[in-house]
Amino acid sequence: MTPRDDRRTTLTSAASMRVLAHPTRLRLLGLLRERGAQTAAQLGDVIDEAPGTISYHLGKLASSGLIEPAEAQSTDQRERWWQATTPLTSWEPADLLGDPDTLAASSALQKSIAQAYAARFTEYIDTAATLPKEWVAAGASGDRSLRLTADELATMRGELEEFVDRWLDTSAAHDPAAADGAEPVVLVYQAYRRP
């Protein structure tokens, strides 16, 4: 079994949150985490941006410690390779309530992430008809409206994190190079007090 990597980058400054709130940068970081080390040209092929634009955004991500130069994967010395510094990024919005600037940056980042989630789910809906039936049947989407106290919601958050951790262990046991039927799966969950 491959050990799960729990390292994370914790964002604490408004500047670092603003860097990641840019949709292109958010997508670049996600691609580096999913695909491993890449060059600006490789990333530009996926995002459909010029390598110079991609390089600019990669530089911004590097300035915030979210990515770093990677060992070259080819013999072309002109290529610059990049990798994510950690598999996770986190921050705690509740800790920012007393700082309007950082709270605004956190809100912008959360909105950018929500838009990325919506775009990814829309892409799934648009392509579901082309997927094998067993994958469509295995998928899930739903919501519930609950009445909970703040303590109960915090307990549920902890239980959800424990639940996801169990499945992260299962995911880590799959070798991406093996033909064992495992495919990338997106898991998004949200639990918050309705405004």
Side-chain angles (χ1 to χ4, degrees):
M1 175 190 261
T2 305
R4 181 168 31 97
D5 189 346
D6 287 328
R7 294 175 304 130
R8 68 181 61 220
T9 302
T10 302
L11 303 179
T12 57
S13 73
S16 62
M17 291 177 201
R18 283 192 198 96
V19 163
L20 191 53
H22 191 286
T24 300
R25 293 181 202 135
L26 191 61
R27 188 155 181 223
L28 287 169
L29 180 59
L31 286 169
L32 289 171
R33 285 179 173 159
E34 289 173 22
R35 296 175 176 212
Q38 302 277 301
T39 65
Q42 291 170 323
L43 293 164
D45 288 343
V46 177
I47 294 185
D48 195 26
E49 292 275 355
T53 302
I54 297 298
S55 291
Y56 169 78
H57 288 302
L58 291 171
K60 289 291 198 178
L61 288 168
S63 73
S64 289
L66 294 163
I67 67 169
E68 62 191 3
E71 188 175 315
Q73 310 288 311
S74 72
T75 57
D76 187 344
Q77 297 301 313
R78 296 172 296 158
E79 293 180 327
R80 187 164 187 192
W81 290 78
W82 295 95
Q83 65 187 5
T85 55
T86 62
L88 300 169
T89 302
S90 65
W91 73 100
E92 188 55 60
D95 293 343
L96 311 175
L97 294 176
D99 181 355
D101 186 45
T102 308
L103 185 59
S106 171
S107 295
L109 178 52
Q110 287 177 306
K111 288 175 186 176
S112 187
I113 290 169
Q115 290 168 351
Y117 289 162
R120 183 172 266 183
F121 190 60
T122 299
E123 180 183 14
Y124 165 74
I125 292 167
D126 289 344
T127 60
T130 66
L131 296 174
K133 184 176 182 177
E134 64 270 17
W135 281 101
V136 176
S141 177
D143 63 272
R144 302 287 189 273
S145 184
L146 308 171
R147 291 192 61 81
L148 302 173
T149 66
D151 287 343
E152 290 166 339
L153 179 56
T155 299
M156 185 171 69
R157 174 184 171 172
E159 290 175 2
L160 285 168
E161 290 170 355
E162 289 172 9
F163 174 78
V164 172
D165 283 348
R166 287 198 323 267
W167 286 100
L168 286 172
D169 290 338
T170 300
S171 178
H174 290 286
D175 179 357
D180 63 0
E183 297 288 343
V185 172
V186 175
L187 171 65
V188 177
Y189 64 91
Q190 299 169 324
Y192 55 89
R193 180 180 174 233
R194 186 180 303 155

Short mmCIF file of all heavy atoms in Angstrom, two decimals, residues 115-160:
data_model
loop_
_atom_site.label_atom_id
_atom_site.label_comp_id
_atom_site.label_asym_id
_atom_site.label_seq_id
_atom_site.Cartn_x
_atom_site.Cartn_y
_atom_site.Cartn_z
N GLN A 115 -16.67 28.06 -8.17
CA GLN A 115 -16.85 28.11 -9.63
C GLN A 115 -16.13 26.95 -10.32
O GLN A 115 -16.65 26.38 -11.28
CB GLN A 115 -16.36 29.45 -10.16
CG GLN A 115 -17.26 30.60 -9.75
CD GLN A 115 -16.65 31.96 -10.02
OE1 GLN A 115 -15.48 32.10 -10.36
NE2 GLN A 115 -17.45 33.00 -9.84
N ALA A 116 -14.95 26.60 -9.80
CA ALA A 116 -14.22 25.45 -10.37
C ALA A 116 -15.00 24.15 -10.14
O ALA A 116 -15.08 23.31 -11.03
CB ALA A 116 -12.83 25.36 -9.76
N TYR A 117 -15.57 23.99 -8.95
CA TYR A 117 -16.39 22.81 -8.66
C TYR A 117 -17.58 22.75 -9.62
O TYR A 117 -17.90 21.69 -10.16
CB TYR A 117 -16.93 22.83 -7.23
CG TYR A 117 -15.93 22.59 -6.13
CD1 TYR A 117 -16.24 22.96 -4.83
CD2 TYR A 117 -14.69 21.99 -6.35
CE1 TYR A 117 -15.35 22.74 -3.78
CE2 TYR A 117 -13.80 21.78 -5.32
CZ TYR A 117 -14.13 22.15 -4.03
OH TYR A 117 -13.26 21.94 -3.00
N ALA A 118 -18.26 23.88 -9.80
CA ALA A 118 -19.43 23.92 -10.68
C ALA A 118 -19.04 23.58 -12.12
O ALA A 118 -19.75 22.83 -12.80
CB ALA A 118 -20.11 25.28 -10.60
N ALA A 119 -17.91 24.12 -12.58
CA ALA A 119 -17.47 23.84 -13.95
C ALA A 119 -17.14 22.36 -14.12
O ALA A 119 -17.48 21.74 -15.14
CB ALA A 119 -16.24 24.70 -14.29
N ARG A 120 -16.49 21.77 -13.12
CA ARG A 120 -16.13 20.35 -13.22
C ARG A 120 -17.39 19.48 -13.22
O ARG A 120 -17.48 18.52 -13.98
CB ARG A 120 -15.21 19.96 -12.06
CG ARG A 120 -14.74 18.52 -12.16
CD ARG A 120 -13.70 18.22 -11.15
NE ARG A 120 -12.39 18.42 -11.77
CZ ARG A 120 -11.25 18.19 -11.16
NH1 ARG A 120 -11.22 17.78 -9.92
NH2 ARG A 120 -10.11 18.37 -11.79
N PHE A 121 -18.37 19.81 -12.38
CA PHE A 121 -19.60 19.02 -12.34
C PHE A 121 -20.39 19.19 -13.64
O PHE A 121 -20.95 18.22 -14.17
CB PHE A 121 -20.45 19.39 -11.12
CG PHE A 121 -21.61 18.46 -10.90
CD1 PHE A 121 -21.40 17.10 -10.69
CD2 PHE A 121 -22.91 18.93 -10.90
CE1 PHE A 121 -22.47 16.23 -10.48
CE2 PHE A 121 -23.98 18.07 -10.69
CZ PHE A 121 -23.76 16.72 -10.48
N THR A 122 -20.41 20.40 -14.19
CA THR A 122 -21.06 20.63 -15.48
C THR A 122 -20.40 19.80 -16.58
O THR A 122 -21.09 19.21 -17.42
CB THR A 122 -21.04 22.13 -15.83
OG1 THR A 122 -21.75 22.85 -14.82
CG2 THR A 122 -21.66 22.40 -17.19
N GLU A 123 -19.07 19.74 -16.55
CA GLU A 123 -18.35 18.92 -17.54
C GLU A 123 -18.75 17.45 -17.40
O GLU A 123 -18.96 16.75 -18.39
CB GLU A 123 -16.84 19.08 -17.33
CG GLU A 123 -16.00 18.28 -18.29
CD GLU A 123 -14.51 18.40 -18.01
OE1 GLU A 123 -14.12 18.87 -16.93
OE2 GLU A 123 -13.74 17.99 -18.89
N TYR A 124 -18.88 16.98 -16.15
CA TYR A 124 -19.32 15.60 -15.93
C TYR A 124 -20.72 15.39 -16.51
O TYR A 124 -20.97 14.41 -17.22
CB TYR A 124 -19.31 15.26 -14.44
CG TYR A 124 -20.09 14.01 -14.13
CD1 TYR A 124 -19.58 12.76 -14.45
CD2 TYR A 124 -21.37 14.08 -13.57
CE1 TYR A 124 -20.31 11.60 -14.21
CE2 TYR A 124 -22.09 12.93 -13.32
CZ TYR A 124 -21.56 11.70 -13.64
OH TYR A 124 -22.29 10.56 -13.41
N ILE A 125 -21.64 16.29 -16.22
CA ILE A 125 -23.02 16.15 -16.73
C ILE A 125 -23.01 16.09 -18.25
O ILE A 125 -23.70 15.26 -18.86
CB ILE A 125 -23.90 17.31 -16.22
CG1 ILE A 125 -24.11 17.20 -14.70
CG2 ILE A 125 -25.24 17.33 -16.94
CD1 ILE A 125 -24.70 18.44 -14.07
N ASP A 126 -22.21 16.96 -18.86
CA ASP A 126 -22.16 17.02 -20.33
C ASP A 126 -21.56 15.77 -20.95
O ASP A 126 -21.85 15.46 -22.11
CB ASP A 126 -21.35 18.24 -20.78
CG ASP A 126 -22.08 19.55 -20.52
OD1 ASP A 126 -23.30 19.53 -20.27
OD2 ASP A 126 -21.41 20.61 -20.55
N THR A 127 -20.71 15.05 -20.21
CA THR A 127 -20.05 13.87 -20.78
C THR A 127 -20.56 12.55 -20.20
O THR A 127 -20.09 11.48 -20.61
CB THR A 127 -18.53 13.95 -20.57
OG1 THR A 127 -18.26 14.01 -19.16
CG2 THR A 127 -17.93 15.17 -21.26
N ALA A 128 -21.50 12.59 -19.29
CA ALA A 128 -21.99 11.37 -18.63
C ALA A 128 -22.47 10.33 -19.65
O ALA A 128 -22.26 9.13 -19.45
CB ALA A 128 -23.09 11.69 -17.63
N ALA A 129 -23.09 10.77 -20.72
CA ALA A 129 -23.60 9.83 -21.72
C ALA A 129 -22.50 9.03 -22.40
O ALA A 129 -22.75 7.96 -22.97
CB ALA A 129 -24.43 10.57 -22.76
N THR A 130 -21.26 9.52 -22.33
CA THR A 130 -20.15 8.81 -22.98
C THR A 130 -19.41 7.88 -22.02
O THR A 130 -18.51 7.15 -22.45
CB THR A 130 -19.12 9.82 -23.54
OG1 THR A 130 -18.50 10.52 -22.46
CG2 THR A 130 -19.79 10.81 -24.48
N LEU A 131 -19.77 7.90 -20.74
CA LEU A 131 -19.11 7.07 -19.74
C LEU A 131 -19.76 5.70 -19.65
O LEU A 131 -20.95 5.56 -19.95
CB LEU A 131 -19.17 7.75 -18.37
CG LEU A 131 -18.44 9.08 -18.23
CD1 LEU A 131 -18.73 9.70 -16.87
CD2 LEU A 131 -16.95 8.90 -18.44
N PRO A 132 -19.00 4.69 -19.21
CA PRO A 132 -19.62 3.38 -19.00
C PRO A 132 -20.75 3.48 -17.96
O PRO A 132 -20.67 4.24 -16.99
CB PRO A 132 -18.46 2.54 -18.45
CG PRO A 132 -17.22 3.21 -18.96
CD PRO A 132 -17.55 4.68 -18.97
N LYS A 133 -21.79 2.70 -18.19
CA LYS A 133 -22.99 2.77 -17.36
C LYS A 133 -22.67 2.55 -15.88
O LYS A 133 -23.25 3.21 -15.01
CB LYS A 133 -24.01 1.73 -17.83
CG LYS A 133 -25.32 1.79 -17.09
CD LYS A 133 -26.33 0.81 -17.64
CE LYS A 133 -27.65 0.93 -16.90
NZ LYS A 133 -28.67 0.05 -17.47
N GLU A 134 -21.74 1.63 -15.56
CA GLU A 134 -21.45 1.35 -14.16
C GLU A 134 -20.84 2.56 -13.45
O GLU A 134 -21.05 2.75 -12.25
CB GLU A 134 -20.53 0.12 -14.00
CG GLU A 134 -19.15 0.27 -14.58
CD GLU A 134 -19.01 -0.16 -16.04
OE1 GLU A 134 -20.03 -0.31 -16.75
OE2 GLU A 134 -17.87 -0.35 -16.47
N TRP A 135 -20.11 3.41 -14.18
CA TRP A 135 -19.54 4.62 -13.57
C TRP A 135 -20.63 5.65 -13.31
O TRP A 135 -20.62 6.33 -12.28
CB TRP A 135 -18.44 5.20 -14.44
CG TRP A 135 -17.15 4.46 -14.29
CD1 TRP A 135 -16.64 3.51 -15.14
CD2 TRP A 135 -16.24 4.56 -13.21
NE1 TRP A 135 -15.45 3.04 -14.65
CE2 TRP A 135 -15.17 3.66 -13.46
CE3 TRP A 135 -16.19 5.32 -12.04
CZ2 TRP A 135 -14.09 3.52 -12.60
CZ3 TRP A 135 -15.12 5.18 -11.18
CH2 TRP A 135 -14.09 4.27 -11.47
N VAL A 136 -21.57 5.78 -14.23
CA VAL A 136 -22.67 6.73 -14.03
C VAL A 136 -23.55 6.26 -12.87
O VAL A 136 -23.94 7.04 -12.00
CB VAL A 136 -23.49 6.91 -15.32
CG1 VAL A 136 -24.69 7.83 -15.08
CG2 VAL A 136 -22.60 7.47 -16.44
N ALA A 137 -23.81 4.96 -12.81
CA ALA A 137 -24.64 4.41 -11.73
C ALA A 137 -23.95 4.54 -10.37
O ALA A 137 -24.62 4.71 -9.35
CB ALA A 137 -24.96 2.95 -12.01
N ALA A 138 -22.64 4.47 -10.34
CA ALA A 138 -21.90 4.54 -9.07
C ALA A 138 -21.78 5.97 -8.55
O ALA A 138 -21.54 6.18 -7.36
CB ALA A 138 -20.51 3.94 -9.23
N GLY A 139 -21.96 6.97 -9.40
CA GLY A 139 -21.82 8.36 -8.99
C GLY A 139 -22.95 8.80 -8.07
O GLY A 139 -23.97 8.12 -7.93
N ALA A 140 -22.75 9.91 -7.41
CA ALA A 140 -23.76 10.41 -6.47
C ALA A 140 -23.76 11.92 -6.45
O ALA A 140 -22.73 12.57 -6.63
CB ALA A 140 -23.46 9.90 -5.06
N SER A 141 -24.92 12.49 -6.25
CA SER A 141 -25.08 13.92 -6.04
C SER A 141 -26.36 14.10 -5.25
O SER A 141 -27.38 13.47 -5.55
CB SER A 141 -25.16 14.65 -7.38
OG SER A 141 -25.39 16.03 -7.15
N GLY A 142 -26.33 14.92 -4.25
CA GLY A 142 -27.53 15.15 -3.47
C GLY A 142 -27.31 16.20 -2.42
O GLY A 142 -26.20 16.70 -2.23
N ASP A 143 -28.36 16.54 -1.74
CA ASP A 143 -28.25 17.48 -0.64
C ASP A 143 -29.37 17.21 0.36
O ASP A 143 -30.37 16.59 0.02
CB ASP A 143 -28.31 18.93 -1.13
CG ASP A 143 -29.64 19.27 -1.78
OD1 ASP A 143 -29.79 19.05 -3.00
OD2 ASP A 143 -30.53 19.74 -1.06
N ARG A 144 -29.13 17.64 1.56
CA ARG A 144 -30.12 17.52 2.62
C ARG A 144 -30.12 18.82 3.41
O ARG A 144 -29.09 19.49 3.51
CB ARG A 144 -29.76 16.39 3.59
CG ARG A 144 -29.62 15.02 2.98
CD ARG A 144 -31.00 14.44 2.60
NE ARG A 144 -30.92 13.07 2.20
CZ ARG A 144 -30.68 12.65 0.97
NH1 ARG A 144 -30.43 13.51 0.03
NH2 ARG A 144 -30.65 11.38 0.68
N SER A 145 -31.23 19.16 3.97
CA SER A 145 -31.31 20.31 4.86
C SER A 145 -31.51 19.77 6.27
O SER A 145 -32.48 19.04 6.54
CB SER A 145 -32.49 21.21 4.45
OG SER A 145 -32.51 22.36 5.25
N LEU A 146 -30.59 20.08 7.16
CA LEU A 146 -30.61 19.57 8.52
C LEU A 146 -30.77 20.71 9.51
O LEU A 146 -30.45 21.86 9.19
CB LEU A 146 -29.28 18.84 8.82
CG LEU A 146 -28.85 17.76 7.83
CD1 LEU A 146 -27.44 17.31 8.16
CD2 LEU A 146 -29.81 16.60 7.86
N ARG A 147 -31.23 20.40 10.71
CA ARG A 147 -31.25 21.37 11.81
C ARG A 147 -30.25 20.89 12.84
O ARG A 147 -30.45 19.85 13.47
CB ARG A 147 -32.65 21.48 12.42
CG ARG A 147 -33.66 22.13 11.48
CD ARG A 147 -34.95 22.48 12.18
NE ARG A 147 -34.78 23.43 13.26
CZ ARG A 147 -34.68 24.77 13.11
NH1 ARG A 147 -34.67 25.29 11.91
NH2 ARG A 147 -34.56 25.55 14.16
N LEU A 148 -29.15 21.63 13.00
CA LEU A 148 -28.06 21.23 13.89
C LEU A 148 -27.59 22.44 14.70
O LEU A 148 -27.74 23.58 14.27
CB LEU A 148 -26.88 20.69 13.09
CG LEU A 148 -27.13 19.49 12.18
CD1 LEU A 148 -25.89 19.20 11.34
CD2 LEU A 148 -27.53 18.27 12.98
N THR A 149 -26.96 22.16 15.84
CA THR A 149 -26.28 23.21 16.58
C THR A 149 -24.89 23.38 15.98
O THR A 149 -24.43 22.53 15.19
CB THR A 149 -26.14 22.83 18.07
OG1 THR A 149 -25.27 21.69 18.16
CG2 THR A 149 -27.49 22.53 18.70
N ALA A 150 -24.19 24.44 16.36
CA ALA A 150 -22.82 24.64 15.88
C ALA A 150 -21.93 23.48 16.31
O ALA A 150 -21.08 23.02 15.54
CB ALA A 150 -22.27 25.97 16.40
N ASP A 151 -22.11 22.99 17.54
CA ASP A 151 -21.31 21.84 18.01
C ASP A 151 -21.60 20.59 17.19
O ASP A 151 -20.69 19.83 16.86
CB ASP A 151 -21.58 21.56 19.49
CG ASP A 151 -20.96 22.59 20.41
OD1 ASP A 151 -20.05 23.33 19.96
OD2 ASP A 151 -21.37 22.65 21.59
N GLU A 152 -22.86 20.37 16.86
CA GLU A 152 -23.22 19.20 16.05
C GLU A 152 -22.64 19.31 14.64
O GLU A 152 -22.14 18.32 14.08
CB GLU A 152 -24.74 19.03 16.00
CG GLU A 152 -25.32 18.62 17.34
CD GLU A 152 -26.84 18.77 17.42
OE1 GLU A 152 -27.42 19.56 16.62
OE2 GLU A 152 -27.44 18.12 18.30
N LEU A 153 -22.67 20.51 14.07
CA LEU A 153 -22.07 20.71 12.75
C LEU A 153 -20.57 20.46 12.80
O LEU A 153 -20.01 19.82 11.90
CB LEU A 153 -22.37 22.13 12.24
CG LEU A 153 -21.79 22.48 10.86
CD1 LEU A 153 -22.25 21.52 9.78
CD2 LEU A 153 -22.15 23.92 10.51
N ALA A 154 -19.91 20.92 13.86
CA ALA A 154 -18.46 20.68 14.00
C ALA A 154 -18.18 19.18 14.13
O ALA A 154 -17.21 18.67 13.55
CB ALA A 154 -17.92 21.43 15.22
N THR A 155 -19.03 18.46 14.84
CA THR A 155 -18.87 17.00 14.96
C THR A 155 -19.05 16.34 13.60
O THR A 155 -18.27 15.45 13.22
CB THR A 155 -19.87 16.43 15.98
OG1 THR A 155 -19.61 17.02 17.25
CG2 THR A 155 -19.78 14.92 16.07
N MET A 156 -20.05 16.77 12.85
CA MET A 156 -20.28 16.21 11.52
C MET A 156 -19.07 16.49 10.62
O MET A 156 -18.64 15.62 9.86
CB MET A 156 -21.56 16.75 10.89
CG MET A 156 -21.88 16.09 9.56
SD MET A 156 -23.49 16.50 8.89
CE MET A 156 -23.27 18.20 8.46
N ARG A 157 -18.50 17.68 10.71
CA ARG A 157 -17.32 18.02 9.92
C ARG A 157 -16.20 17.03 10.23
O ARG A 157 -15.56 16.49 9.31
CB ARG A 157 -16.87 19.44 10.23
CG ARG A 157 -15.56 19.82 9.58
CD ARG A 157 -15.10 21.20 9.99
NE ARG A 157 -13.75 21.47 9.53
CZ ARG A 157 -13.15 22.64 9.63
NH1 ARG A 157 -13.79 23.66 10.18
NH2 ARG A 157 -11.92 22.80 9.19
N GLY A 158 -15.96 16.77 11.49
CA GLY A 158 -14.92 15.81 11.88
C GLY A 158 -15.19 14.42 11.34
O GLY A 158 -14.28 13.74 10.86
N GLU A 159 -16.45 13.99 11.41
CA GLU A 159 -16.81 12.67 10.91
C GLU A 159 -16.64 12.59 9.39
O GLU A 159 -16.20 11.56 8.86
CB GLU A 159 -18.24 12.32 11.32
CG GLU A 159 -18.38 12.06 12.81
CD GLU A 159 -19.82 11.83 13.23
OE1 GLU A 159 -20.73 11.84 12.37
OE2 GLU A 159 -20.04 11.64 14.45
N LEU A 160 -17.00 13.67 8.69
CA LEU A 160 -16.81 13.69 7.24
C LEU A 160 -15.33 13.61 6.88
O LEU A 160 -14.94 12.88 5.96
CB LEU A 160 -17.42 14.97 6.64
CG LEU A 160 -18.93 15.02 6.54
CD1 LEU A 160 -19.41 16.42 6.21
CD2 LEU A 160 -19.45 14.02 5.51
#
